[in-house]
Amino acid sequence: MTKNDFSGFCALLQSQRKQLLGEMREKIASIEDGPDFPNQLKIADNDGLPDAAAEMNDAMVERESQELLEIEAALARISDGSYGSCSDCGDEIGGARLKAYPAVKRCLRCQEKYEHTHGQNHAA
Ligand SMILES: [Zn+2]
């Protein structure tokens, strides 16, 4: 992973993050547009969005908020320099896999193992 790769993935993650935030904001606003919605203020603040989404109990928003957290975590790994390494075994995840799933944190092998253990079947 070169510095150039890092900034490329960083830009990719930032734009995914921006898009997700926009979609979530719209969804939250359309579902909860009553005057008593307590999270109006929090939604103006990006950091409060995942919390607001978690309180909504909406499966779609919940998944997007999960995705958002994964993107945030990937951005954090870029800044601490651990981005691109598998969180389980420490091996390189590989450029092709990262391009397909920039927020992914495990190599394919560990992901398969993880999904096997946790019974999940989504690709990232
Ligand atoms: Zn691994």
Side-chain angles (χ1 to χ4, degrees), residues 32-52:
E32 294 282 355
D33 58 358
D36 296 330
F37 185 43
N39 288 314
Q40 294 280 7
L41 283 176
K42 274 210 242 168
I43 293 173
D45 165 14
N46 288 350
D47 293 334
L49 246 171
D51 292 338

Side-chain angles (χ1 to χ4, degrees), residues 86 88-91 106-107 109-110:
C86 173
D88 286 7
C89 71
D91 277 358
R106 290 184 187 84
C107 69
R109 212 169 19 140
C110 292

Side-chain angles (χ1 to χ4, degrees), residues 3 7 14 19 21 27-28 32 34 36 42 44 54 60 66 70-71 74 83-84 88 90-91 104 108 110 112 118 120:
K3 274 214 157 72
S7 60
Q14 297 276 18
Q19 195 188 335
L21 281 170
K27 229 164 261 165
I28 289 175
E32 294 282 355
D36 296 330
K42 274 210 242 168
M60 178 110 75
Q66 192 58 40
E70 280 166 15
I71 290 172
Y83 183 76
D88 286 7
D91 277 358
V104 79
L108 192 58
C110 292
E112 278 172 358
H118 292 76
Q120 292 183 12

Side-chain angles (χ1 to χ4, degrees), residues 15-115:
S15 80
Q16 282 194 351
R17 180 175 182 274
K18 205 171 149 198
Q19 195 188 335
L20 259 179
L21 281 170
E23 282 173 16
M24 284 174 70
R25 247 199 217 99
E26 258 172 46
K27 229 164 261 165
I28 289 175
S30 71
I31 296 172
E32 294 282 355
D33 58 358
D36 296 330
F37 185 43
N39 288 314
Q40 294 280 7
L41 283 176
K42 274 210 242 168
I43 293 173
D45 165 14
N46 288 350
D47 293 334
L49 246 171
D51 292 338
E55 284 165 27
M56 284 178 56
N57 249 342
D58 180 277
M60 178 110 75
V61 173
E62 212 168 290
R63 206 177 53 219
E64 284 180 341
S65 126
Q66 192 58 40
E67 225 177 304
L68 186 65
L69 290 177
E70 280 166 15
I71 290 172
E72 307 268 6
L75 285 166
R77 289 198 299 279
I78 287 179
S79 36
D80 73 16
S82 67
Y83 183 76
S85 305
C86 173
S87 67
D88 286 7
C89 71
D91 277 358
E92 277 213 10
I93 292 173
R97 179 161 165 76
L98 285 172
K99 277 197 186 90
Y101 309 106
V104 79
K105 61 179 178 186
R106 290 184 187 84
C107 69
L108 192 58
R109 212 169 19 140
C110 292
Q111 184 65 33
E112 278 172 358
K113 218 190 299 174
Y114 177 85
E115 280 167 15

